[in-house]
Amino acid sequence: MDFLHCEINKIIKNQYDLIHNNTIFNIKFSIYLKEKCQTTKLIVHTHEMKNFINSVYSDFNKISKKVDWFICASNAVKNDLFENWNIKNSNVIYELSKFETKESKTNIENTIIISGSGRGAHRKGLDLFIKTSQNILLNSNNAKKYKFQWLGYLTDDEKKLHKQLVSENNLESYFTFLEEREDTSSFFAETDIFVMSSREDPFPLVCIEAANYGIPIFLFNKATERVRKFLKI
């Protein structure tokens, strides 16, 4: 704790001109630093939308007034902030990646690998991905040709919950939970179909990564007009 206080005091002493929050998390801490630094401006890079924001902050209307500028990941986010909290101090900067078509399909088995990715949190829809996997198997004439995999960090509780869902849906022989990894190239290279099951994810970078490998992407209807235009679907 003494170390933490020491580091915070160093930040305050430096009197930085700008604090950039790369998510809506920790805004209150950033506001604390801003107030201590006197002339510091606070920018919050926002990917999240109403339902998730409300699950984190019950007083977002109050704390949002202390943010100098919001950078929104899509027009959907910008509109959401305006419609729900009347936030006007914002602009849109889309996620981007160096677009370079990469070779895919290192999977040489006679299987179709369907992948999803993200945190194990409710917003990312891992439970929906599991349900989708079950529906695919139930409607297939040859279930053995399918494999399903999910890449991303899960807490112990999240892992326990979702492994139970896999078991309840009789998917143990078909489903693999992959851990976090720095290099995702092999994950995308072996993927035949990518499913974006997020409940609220207006412009996820993972879709750009999948598109770099020419992977078909399935998502909710109108989940994000920007992704649909990018993929020309």
Side-chain angles (χ1 to χ4, degrees):
M1 187 63 70
D2 290 338
F3 172 78
L4 179 60
H5 285 157
C6 181
E7 292 302 306
I8 292 173
N9 287 333
K10 284 182 182 178
I11 294 174
I12 295 172
K13 184 177 179 180
N14 284 330
Q15 291 289 303
Y16 290 107
D17 296 323
L18 180 68
I19 297 173
H20 183 271
N21 238 66
N22 195 38
T23 171
I24 65 152
F25 285 109
N26 303 319
I27 293 180
K28 289 185 177 181
F29 177 64
S30 294
I31 289 173
Y32 168 80
L33 292 176
K34 172 189 172 179
E35 292 174 343
K36 291 293 183 181
C37 291
Q38 301 173 1
T39 60
T40 299
K41 301 295 184 181
L42 173 59
I43 293 176
V44 177
H45 201 138
T46 311
H47 310 80
E48 301 81 3
M49 299 178 73
K50 177 184 175 182
N51 291 332
F52 187 74
I53 292 174
N54 282 334
S55 73
V56 178
Y57 299 109
S58 60
D59 56 346
F60 190 68
N61 188 56
K62 177 181 178 181
I63 65 176
S64 64
K65 289 178 171 58
K66 298 183 179 181
V67 176
D68 295 286
W69 198 261
F70 288 89
I71 296 176
C72 304
S74 73
N75 276 318
V77 172
K78 180 180 173 70
N79 293 337
D80 190 73
L81 292 178
F82 176 73
E83 290 171 4
N84 292 289
W85 295 284
N86 197 34
I87 293 172
K88 301 176 182 177
N89 51 324
S90 67
N91 69 322
V92 176
I93 299 178
Y94 289 111
E95 304 288 4
L96 56 90
S97 171
K98 180 180 179 182
F99 189 83
E100 180 181 343
T101 302
K102 301 179 180 179
E103 185 177 352
S104 62
K105 198 56 179 176
T106 58
N107 167 36
I108 60 174
E109 299 178 31
N110 187 27
T111 57
I112 297 174
I113 297 180
I114 301 177
S115 302
S117 179
R119 277 276 288 105
H122 181 70
R123 181 169 72 99
K124 292 295 183 178
L126 173 50
D127 58 319
L128 301 179
F129 181 78
I130 293 172
K131 186 64 178 176
T132 299
S133 303
Q134 183 204 36
N135 287 336
I136 290 172
L137 293 184
L138 290 176
N139 289 280
S140 172
N141 294 325
N142 183 10
K144 291 183 178 180
K145 72 178 181 180
Y146 290 101
K147 289 185 179 179
F148 305 92
Q149 57 184 16
W150 183 272
L151 175 70
Y153 171 75
L154 280 75
T155 65
D156 290 340
D157 287 342
E158 289 166 351
K159 189 176 296 183
K160 180 179 179 181
L161 170 65
H162 292 103
K163 282 190 172 182
Q164 183 178 340
L165 287 175
V166 167
S167 177
E168 290 173 354
N169 289 285
N170 300 314
L171 295 172
E172 295 99 323
S173 301
Y174 306 93
F175 203 102
T176 303
F177 290 96
L178 303 175
E179 302 294 331
E180 285 182 296
R181 56 178 68 172
E182 291 186 10
D183 184 0
T184 59
S185 57
S186 61
F187 167 75
F188 287 109
E190 68 181 9
T191 294
D192 295 290
I193 296 171
F194 186 83
V195 176
M196 193 189 84
S197 55
S198 299
R199 289 177 165 87
E200 279 189 343
D201 219 337
F203 190 49
L205 184 57
V206 68
C207 284
I208 301 178
E209 294 174 313
N212 282 348
Y213 287 82
I215 302 169
I217 300 172
F218 286 77
L219 58 162
F220 290 116
N221 185 36
K222 296 185 179 179
T224 160
E225 289 303 317
R226 177 62 178 179
V227 170
R228 294 172 68 84
K229 291 177 182 177
F230 177 80
L231 298 174
K232 297 180 180 179
I233 56 176

